Amino acid sequence: MTGYLKWPALLAACFSFWFSQAQAEERPEVAKHVVAYLGTEGAKVWTLRIGDRTANEALVQVEGIDHDWDMRIQKMHVEKTSKDTRYWTTVDGKKFVALIVQGTWGGELYLPGEAQPRPVGYSEGLSQQGNAEAFLTDYLAAKK
């Protein structure tokens, strides 16, 4: 390679490295494990802490339901009380609690427009199928 071709190649390599590092830094921290719940009629709820633990936020995806929220990944607030953990978001300008988990074994899924909650329970098998980094990638791609 002649001298005048080395500098552009070196600059391109540096830019490529910098760009890939900048993209990696844009990914927020997430928990290492996905926690999943299985409900009636095939409903699945996937949860994943996003950001610092003190931010109290999680990604939540509901799957296998006949609803507008099917397969949509949403960032929700998390409130932990002495009785349960509540995942909530804003719907029509109001706080809407979408998931209540008592302990880790049982809970209820609430969907906008539906009169009755759906019972859900922790699923170890489903949780093991979850991939935290892939979940985050899907969420970030949907935001674009």
Side-chain angles (χ1 to χ4, degrees), residues 41-110:
E41 300 173 11
K44 298 174 187 172
V45 182
W46 306 86
T47 66
L48 177 67
R49 176 186 54 82
I50 186 169
D52 187 76
R53 281 181 179 78
T54 60
N56 295 316
E57 293 182 319
L59 299 180
V60 178
Q61 182 180 39
V62 182
E63 177 184 347
I65 58 169
D66 183 20
H67 193 274
D68 291 343
W69 281 15
D70 187 49
M71 298 304 291
R72 188 167 132 200
I73 302 172
Q74 301 179 66
K75 185 190 277 190
M76 294 190 183
H77 302 277
V78 181
E79 289 180 3
K80 294 184 179 188
T81 70
S82 60
K83 292 182 182 181
D84 55 36
T85 301
R86 295 170 179 247
Y87 296 79
W88 66 272
T89 188
T90 303
V91 174
D92 296 329
K94 297 178 185 173
K95 179 179 177 178
F96 181 84
V97 177
L99 178 65
I100 298 176
V101 178
Q102 292 107 12
T104 56
W105 297 105
E108 295 176 317
L109 171 66
Y110 296 84

Side-chain angles (χ1 to χ4, degrees), residues 10-24:
L10 182 60
L11 287 174
C14 288
F15 177 75
S16 177
F17 176 77
W18 173 81
F19 186 72
S20 67
Q21 289 300 320
Q23 283 185 321

Side-chain angles (χ1 to χ4, degrees), residues 104-127:
T104 56
W105 297 105
E108 295 176 317
L109 171 66
Y110 296 84
L111 297 168
E114 291 195 2
Q116 299 292 324
R118 297 176 188 225
V120 294
Y122 172 74
S123 172
E124 184 175 351
L126 207 54
S127 295

